[in-house]
Amino acid sequence: MYDSALYEKFYRSIYLIRRTEEEIARIYPSDKIKSPVHLSIGQEAVSVGICEALQADDLVFGTYRSHALYLAKGGNLKEMFAELYGKASGCARGKGGSMHLINLAARVMGASAVVGSTIPNAVGYAYALQYRREKQIVVSVFGDGAPDEGVFHESMNFAALKGLPIIFVCENNFYAIHTHQRLRQPLDNICDRARSYGMPAERIENNDTFQIYEKIGAAAKALRNGEKGPFFFECMTYRWKEHVGPNEDYHLGYRTPEEAEPWIENDQVLKLAGLVEEERRSQIEAEVEAEIQAAIQFAEESPFPEAADLFTDVYKESLAQTSVLPAVQTPSSRKISYVEAIREATDQEMARDDSTIVFGLDVDDPKAIQGTTKGLLEKYGQERLFGTPLSEDAMTGAAIGMALAGLRPIHIHIRMDFLMLAMNQLVNVAAKSSYMYGGQVNIPLVVRSMIGKSWGQGAQHSQGLYSFFMHVPGLKVVAPTTPYDAKGCLIAAMRDENPVMYVEHRILHFQKGPVPENTYTVPPGKARITAFGNDVTLVGISFMQIECLRARAYLQEMDIEAEVIDPIWLSPLDMDTIVDSVGRTGKLCVVDNGWTTCGAGSEIVLRAIERLQGERQIQVCSLGFAPVTCPTTPSLENLFYPNGRTIAATAYELVKGEKGWLPEEREDLKDLEFKGPF
């Protein structure tokens, strides 16, 4: 059916995978390998069939059982062994291990230890290819457990909606760890799920290498010829070894040798060996054995990472920020709103860089996210600004894939609360990719989300959860207060090479202030003193900056001069400015837009104490949400949040040591009215 050269090529690939896995199984008990291994023995045919059907510049995204996919696509064997050994010469510089293999030159785009996580990343990369009119295709490979995950369905839906150039391959070995498919899924044909999203889907039985090759090849050709994707294949296969580790596991009782027997008898390594002339087969095997032994020697002789490498690759160095106006607001006769500042920043960057795209739920609707995206659809078109399905998890993963492909996505969430639906992608993928792939990739992603009170936003529409993201290395967090900072911080975030959480309080949307027309940045890591004083330091985060300025006015009635600081960027956090102020005043009150336990305010207080201990005796306190769920009724909601009067009372007690003072409310300092619901 095929010529001898192709049989030899297939055999070299599948024999390399089998023998590599057998050597890993042999070495594993010695403890030289420094990460869990999920072996592909028995499943090699799927990866070989896929990758032999692809072109060199096509891309693959895998799962934690990805040794076969990595090698079949041309990944470097020496670097793979070194990675398993935890060595600095590994494909991820020793920071990823077996479950996170990557080789950008071979277009192996990475793998994830969390089931289904790379599916939306592959979808996002495919969107970038379609946007740029490029001819490569993407293949997303995952196991039969992934269809149990919601992100599988969200990703299928979006890929079909956009007709993306992607092939989905479910490598079905029947078991999610130790649980058979029949105990997890009411339908035993995963293709039926894919078909429900309007894409062609086909099951390939019997672990047949050439059938997989032919089917994937036909789908790839169709996509290259301009046919709309995606395509879906379910490849039936079987793993011979335990879920993780080098051994058989029939003694556990969840499966039997009799179940495995027909798959072992249909061993594709032996089938392909029989198609290659004996002398040539011996030559191939000798070459592969030599290659494997050289790779093992390379891994054993390579050095472990240096101690300093623990702290490298957490963040990617960003491009030089141009037109920086950091600490002092430049006078401007033009005053615009916070909303207009966001819209202007987005418009200017989209005009400057056609890799900048904007998407999210309802970004293209008549309200245009309170006006922040108004007019951008008409100006830039639906490829660069589009609404999405209600799929926070998959769309965040798609944004990561777009960023991997070189786009600069802005993903907008009307509520920060909804980020809880995307935590896996934000925390396990966006934040960690640079580090766990040894600095080889970057995720230039901006995630806009809104927080805030009023109009009965209540328990699930008002939470300021930015401290969750401050906790995670690899993410940057910014919460600008003024229109000036709203524009400058957003431009800085869009030009950053790292994922940035951009937090905007909905009441601030109605603030107006001076904003230059030109493009400028307010880069990470610099706080601003918004009012000077010597008696107490008030640090207000986001809208609480406004409340701190109100508190300052109340305190002046009592001859107390408060210094007020806006951190602006919460990660990285400028503690130098805060510590310098507290070193002068001796008193610190931090007011947060979140709960105080494990909050941003608590972090600032702790760091100030650590920095000043032994140098200066200081008094501290932190204010934030009441330790309850946010109520909707105004009478209770008013008690839930700090305000200018309660902040002033707390600061007064710090300075005077006296309790009981609460200023009378001043009409000129009352809160702004929030015009809900959005």
Side-chain angles (χ1 to χ4, degrees):
M1 183 177 178
Y2 299 105
D3 62 27
S4 59
L6 187 133
Y7 288 141
E8 291 173 7
K9 190 167 183 278
F10 274 50
Y11 183 61
R12 177 183 291 275
S13 180
I14 203 166
Y15 184 77
L16 172 65
I17 297 167
R18 173 63 61 82
R19 286 293 301 122
T20 296
E21 297 288 64
E22 289 174 342
E23 285 298 282
I24 292 170
R26 178 184 66 81
I27 296 168
Y28 197 73
S30 71
D31 200 36
K32 292 181 178 179
I33 291 175
K34 301 301 180 184
S35 68
V37 294
H38 300 78
L39 300 177
S40 302
I41 294 175
Q43 300 184 200
E44 303 93 340
V46 179
S47 292
V48 173
I50 292 169
C51 294
E52 291 297 334
L54 300 179
Q55 295 181 359
D57 59 352
D58 292 331
L59 305 104
V60 296
F61 287 77
T63 182
Y64 50 79
R65 197 181 306 280
S66 63
H67 297 176
L69 187 67
Y70 175 92
L71 292 173
K73 192 63 174 66
N76 186 292
L77 182 62
K78 288 184 176 180
E79 292 179 358
M80 175 181 159
F81 264 106
E83 188 62 35
L84 269 59
Y85 273 59
K87 299 299 183 71
S89 56
C91 64
R93 299 179 184 171
K95 294 181 174 181
S98 168
M99 294 186 287
H100 303 291
L101 300 180
I102 187 171
N103 190 297
L104 297 179
R107 313 303 277 161
V108 179
M109 301 307 296
S112 176
V114 182
V115 171
S117 292
T118 60
I119 299 174
N121 306 155
V123 167
Y125 206 110
Y127 184 87
L129 294 176
Q130 183 184 78
Y131 170 68
R132 288 176 166 162
R133 309 292 190 270
E134 296 178 3
K135 288 296 185 181
Q136 298 106 296
I137 63 171
V138 178
V139 178
S140 172
V141 181
F142 45 86
D144 54 277
D148 299 341
E149 299 282 356
V151 74
F152 168 90
H153 300 276
E154 293 180 10
S155 300
M156 298 291 118
N157 182 59
F158 183 72
L161 183 69
K162 296 296 183 180
L164 298 182
I166 185 169
I167 300 171
F168 296 109
V169 180
C170 178
E171 194 173 15
N172 189 345
N173 66 18
F174 300 100
Y175 289 95
I177 307 182
H178 303 126
T179 305
H180 196 280
Q181 182 184 0
R182 64 176 172 268
L183 300 176
R184 296 178 284 110
Q185 300 169 4
L187 300 176
D188 66 356
N189 192 323
I190 293 171
C191 289
D192 289 339
R193 301 190 186 196
R195 292 188 191 103
S196 72
Y197 295 104
M199 68 183 74
E202 184 174 353
R203 175 180 273 188
I204 303 173
E205 305 280 1
N206 300 323
N207 204 30
D208 188 289
T209 312
F210 290 103
Q211 191 177 3
I212 297 168
Y213 167 72
E214 291 165 4
K215 298 292 185 181
I216 299 293
K221 182 178 179 181
L223 291 173
R224 262 185 264 280
N225 289 337
E227 187 173 331
K228 289 283 187 182
F231 290 84
F232 187 96
F233 296 96
E234 182 182 7
C235 297
M236 310 308 292
T237 187
Y238 199 83
R239 61 174 166 84
W240 296 6
K241 300 294 184 181
E242 58 192 327
H243 167 68
V244 55
N247 304 309
E248 293 181 348
D249 61 357
Y250 301 118
H251 66 284
L252 296 178
Y254 74 97
R255 61 177 184 167
T256 65
E258 289 73 25
E259 179 184 271
E261 186 176 353
W263 296 94
I264 295 173
E265 290 178 352
N266 188 39
D267 185 3
Q268 291 293 292
V269 177
L270 296 180
K271 295 273 187 183
L272 286 168
L275 297 173
V276 179
E277 190 271 331
E278 184 177 356
E279 183 177 349
R280 185 73 183 108
R281 185 173 71 244
S282 297
Q283 183 180 356
I284 290 170
E285 291 172 356
E287 292 169 355
V288 166
E289 295 296 340
E291 184 180 352
I292 291 172
Q293 293 310 310
I296 294 171
Q297 182 177 356
F298 174 79
E300 294 192 345
E301 293 177 352
S302 292
F304 285 105
E306 299 289 339
D309 291 329
L310 174 65
F311 298 101
T312 61
D313 307 319
V314 179
Y315 296 96
K316 294 289 288 187
E317 184 175 351
S318 294
L319 300 174
Q321 303 280 3
T322 57
S323 304
V324 176
L325 302 175
V328 179
Q329 296 187 19
T330 302
S332 174
S333 59
R334 187 184 73 138
K335 289 189 176 182
I336 63 175
S337 71
Y338 195 107
V339 162
E340 292 168 323
I342 290 175
R343 196 210 68 82
E344 185 170 89
T346 307
D347 187 14
Q348 289 179 349
E349 282 302 287
M350 291 183 80
R352 185 186 71 88
D353 184 356
D354 64 8
S355 68
T356 301
I357 65 172
V358 179
F359 59 91
L361 184 63
D362 291 340
V363 301
D364 54 355
D365 78 357
K367 293 188 177 181
I369 311 295
Q370 301 216 90
T372 60
T373 59
K374 185 178 180 180
L376 300 181
L377 173 62
E378 294 78 9
K379 187 171 183 178
Y380 296 106
Q382 291 184 341
E383 283 189 309
R384 294 191 66 191
L385 187 142
F386 57 89
T388 67
L390 288 111
S391 305
E392 287 84 359
D393 195 9
M395 293 315 305
T396 302
I400 293 168
M402 294 174 198
L404 283 169
L407 298 185
R408 308 188 80 84
I410 304 172
H411 187 196
I412 302 176
H413 297 260
I414 196 72
R415 301 278 189 270
M416 180 168 243
D417 314 69
F418 302 162
L419 293 182
M420 297 300 95
L421 300 169
M423 286 297 278
N424 175 54
Q425 290 294 329
L426 291 169
V427 174
N428 282 328
V429 184
K432 293 178 172 58
S433 288
S434 176
Y435 191 87
M436 73 184 183
Y437 293 132
Q440 296 175 81
V441 303
N442 56 300
I443 311 293
L445 164 64
V446 177
V447 179
R448 281 182 52 200
S449 63
M450 297 177 197
I451 64 173
K453 62 179 182 175
S454 295
W455 208 75
Q457 296 293 319
Q460 297 175 346
H461 272 19
S462 63
Q463 298 170 95
L465 302 173
Y466 42 79
S467 64
F468 287 17
F469 302 105
M470 290 174 65
H471 180 71
V472 181
L475 294 175
K476 295 185 178 181
V477 183
V478 62
T481 303
T482 66
Y484 177 90
D485 288 336
K487 178 178 176 178
C489 290
L490 184 54
I491 293 174
M494 286 189 278
R495 295 182 185 182
D496 205 290
E497 298 302 319
N498 303 280
V500 179
M501 311 299 295
Y502 184 94
V503 183
E504 49 201 85
H505 197 292
R506 60 176 59 88
I507 291 180
L508 293 176
H509 279 164
F510 302 97
Q511 302 282 337
K512 286 192 173 183
V515 178
E517 291 185 50
N518 61 295
T519 298
Y520 62 93
T521 64
V522 177
K526 183 61 182 174
R528 179 180 289 115
I529 299 174
T530 57
F532 291 92
N534 294 310
D535 296 322
V536 61
T537 300
L538 302 180
V539 178
I541 298 170
S542 184
F543 180 70
M544 289 302 157
Q545 174 66 200
I546 305 297
E547 297 288 13
C548 283
L549 290 171
R550 291 192 180 104
R552 183 177 188 274
Y554 284 121
L555 288 166
Q556 285 178 322
E557 298 174 359
M558 307 302 290
D559 295 324
I560 295 173
E561 291 294 332
E563 183 148 291
V564 184
I565 297 176
D566 186 348
I568 308 174
W569 288 85
L570 299 174
S571 180
L573 179 63
D574 174 14
M575 282 303 301
D576 290 344
T577 298
I578 296 171
V579 168
D580 179 69
S581 175
V582 180
R584 288 185 286 103
T585 67
K587 298 172 179 62
L588 170 64
C589 179
V590 186
V591 191
D592 204 345
N593 260 295
W595 291 285
T596 55
T597 302
C598 301
S602 301
E603 178 69 16
I604 292 171
V605 167
L606 172 64
R607 291 199 199 180
I609 292 171
E610 287 180 337
R611 289 274 297 272
L612 289 168
Q613 62 183 343
E615 297 181 13
R616 177 76 152 91
Q617 193 72 26
I618 64 172
Q619 294 174 273
V620 299
C621 68
S622 63
L623 298 176
F625 295 171
V628 299
T629 296
C630 182
T632 57
T633 183
S635 61
L636 295 180
E637 185 188 53
N638 289 337
L639 299 173
F640 178 79
Y641 293 99
N643 60 56
R645 296 169 67 219
T646 57
I647 296 167
T650 302
Y652 178 87
E653 183 180 344
L654 268 184
V655 175
K656 299 292 188 179
E658 300 173 3
K659 294 183 179 181
W661 175 73
L662 182 69
E664 292 292 326
E665 187 171 23
R666 285 168 43 179
E667 287 294 322
D668 62 325
L669 296 178
K670 277 189 174 180
D671 204 348
L672 295 177
E673 180 184 358
F674 173 60
K675 300 175 175 65
F678 293 106

